[in-house]
Amino acid sequence: MVSIITPCYNGGWCVSRMIESVLAQGYPNIEYIVVDDGSTDDSAEIIKRYIPAFEERGYTLIYFYQENRGLGGAIGAGLKLFTGDYLCWADADDWLEPDSVAVRVRFLEEHPQYGVVTGDANVREEADLDRVARHISEHFPHSPDENQFEWMLRGESIFCSGCHMARVSMFDIANPKREIYDKVNGQNWQLLLPMYYLFSRKFLPVPVYNYVDYQQSMSRARGASYTKWETHLANSCDTITYTLEQIEATQGVDLSEKKKYILATYARSQFRAALQYGEKAAVKRHYHDLKQQTAPTMTDRLLYVFRSMSRLYRIASRLRKAIRRKRKK
């Protein structure tokens, strides 16, 4: 059996597309769990409407309602409910390719040494869903590497939720309590980092998922203001550090160096974000935090010296990006 968990908060406008993509799978044994995270729209009515169609298809659709706890809390609730041999999680506003489940199950059945298999994703722009704009793997050149733990820590591993399928017998070794931190973001780190620490991951260069790039997506909203971006970075650091601590507790290992790396990485990210937004007080604060975590680089020192020249920094950043693009071409 394959279990798929979808968190849904006020997804009445899109959840039908995801549900119908599950119904359209060519694989015969699916348990689909939709966690309604306190929706106030017509999500519940829409989801429940599909229960007879799932029964007719030979599938199971489980609707679970809870008070709003955020994305992490919704995924966490689903982890307590699923009963499958393989586990997937997918967002309500995206959808699966018709052979998404079958392709990945076939691989895991034939290759029992792998804990996770990850497929590619079609990236589609909100304004033109019929056209594939690009593939998610284009942004992650290290995808063929079967050891993804370090790449995941660096943020250089495929993040798309619906791309992954985990072998539950190994998932329960990595996460025996089937619990994750109740955070708005970071569920992929929490689900995948423990698996990647212990087991190999195989990447299949076949699109299994359709990821929609929305103009009002969470990532775009973060970029709209420094406060939101600062909060996002702090939450991400907190979530990854927590996950590393859970790996330490579960597996009896010492990941203190990895935690130092994460704290230093996010301190630098906070410092440079403050520079980019021209937040002088935050620049000073985060530079101090960076010095507490690691020795600042020469670039860090120079940027701090010229912190009052935020406009010049933004111009320099744009020039640096343009030079990188030119080199890639």
Side-chain angles (χ1 to χ4, degrees):
M1 178 180 285
V2 174
S3 295
I4 304 172
I5 300 172
T6 290
C8 179
Y9 175 71
N10 287 347
W13 61 277
C14 63
V15 71
S16 289
R17 186 174 58 205
M18 170 56 78
I19 294 174
E20 288 174 8
S21 78
V22 175
L23 273 174
Q25 292 301 301
Y27 189 75
N29 196 7
I30 292 178
E31 172 187 73
Y32 189 41
I33 300 169
V34 184
V35 179
D36 185 346
D37 192 40
S39 294
T40 57
D41 65 356
D42 58 351
S43 292
E45 179 184 346
I46 291 171
I47 296 164
K48 292 176 182 178
R49 191 186 303 155
Y50 282 94
I51 291 176
F54 270 72
E55 292 175 349
E56 184 178 345
R57 178 70 176 81
Y59 290 172
T60 301
L61 172 58
I62 298 172
Y63 169 81
F64 180 81
Y65 178 87
Q66 65 178 18
E67 295 298 322
N68 184 260
R69 290 169 54 196
L71 190 56
I75 292 287
L79 292 179
K80 297 297 186 181
L81 299 172
F82 84 90
T83 63
D85 303 294
Y86 299 110
L87 174 65
C88 302
W89 53 100
D91 295 334
D93 54 1
D94 298 324
W95 73 94
L96 303 173
E97 284 289 290
D99 59 352
S100 177
V101 172
V103 166
R104 289 179 286 173
V105 170
R106 186 182 308 119
F107 178 84
L108 289 175
E109 288 285 301
E110 295 173 355
H111 302 85
Q113 70 271 31
Y114 291 95
V116 179
V117 61
T118 297
D120 209 340
N122 298 317
V123 180
R124 301 175 186 267
E125 301 292 343
E126 179 183 11
D128 187 4
L129 295 180
D130 293 330
R131 184 179 70 89
V132 176
R134 58 193 177 276
H135 291 110
I136 201 70
S137 59
E138 295 172 23
H139 300 284
F140 301 98
H142 305 290
S143 293
D145 190 343
E146 294 186 0
N147 299 309
Q148 286 289 305
F149 182 73
E150 293 290 340
W151 298 125
M152 191 79 183
L153 276 181
R154 298 180 192 181
E156 298 180 35
S157 186
I158 289 177
F159 64 89
C160 263
S161 296
C163 291
H164 312 287
M165 179 179 286
R167 189 187 304 275
V168 172
S169 60
M170 294 181 176
F171 180 83
D172 284 342
I173 294 172
N175 189 342
K177 294 183 179 180
R178 297 189 178 182
E179 292 179 348
I180 65 171
Y181 202 13
D182 274 19
K183 281 286 184 180
V184 173
N185 62 318
Q187 74 276 13
N188 288 315
W189 281 315
Q190 296 187 70
L191 294 168
L192 292 171
L193 271 175
M195 291 290 287
Y196 290 168
Y197 183 76
L198 293 174
F199 307 110
S200 297
R201 194 286 304 272
K202 181 67 175 179
F203 172 68
L204 302 179
V206 178
V208 299
Y209 192 62
N210 293 281
Y211 172 80
V212 183
D213 187 6
Y214 292 97
Q215 288 299 313
Q216 299 300 320
S217 67
M218 188 182 295
S219 58
R220 291 181 188 271
R222 288 194 298 264
S225 73
Y226 172 69
T227 301
K228 288 182 179 179
W229 188 238
E230 183 182 40
T231 300
H232 166 70
L233 289 172
N235 285 341
S236 296
C237 182
D238 188 24
T239 299
I240 299 174
T241 302
Y242 172 85
T243 303
L244 292 174
E245 290 172 350
Q246 293 303 108
I247 295 174
E248 287 181 319
T250 302
Q251 307 304 327
V253 296
D254 182 4
L255 297 178
S256 55
E257 291 302 312
K258 303 297 183 188
K259 287 187 285 186
K260 288 179 183 176
Y261 165 78
I262 291 299
L263 291 171
T265 296
Y266 278 89
R268 178 169 288 111
S269 295
Q270 292 278 32
F271 165 61
R272 296 196 176 183
L275 276 169
Q276 188 170 1
Y277 280 88
E279 297 284 340
K280 295 180 182 179
V283 167
K284 186 175 182 179
R285 182 174 72 253
H286 290 306
Y287 186 72
H288 175 74
D289 293 340
L290 178 60
K291 289 198 299 182
Q292 295 292 106
Q293 299 300 334
T294 187
T297 65
M298 181 60 70
T299 301
D300 294 329
R301 295 191 185 98
L302 289 173
L303 289 172
Y304 185 69
V305 169
F306 294 104
R307 62 190 182 278
S308 61
M309 304 171 66
S310 57
R311 183 171 180 271
L312 181 61
Y313 172 78
R314 290 195 293 272
I315 293 172
S317 295
R318 288 196 291 269
L319 285 173
R320 186 168 63 249
K321 290 178 182 178
I323 291 169
R324 286 177 180 171
R325 286 196 296 268
K326 189 174 181 180
R327 286 175 178 172
K328 286 181 180 179
K329 290 180 180 178

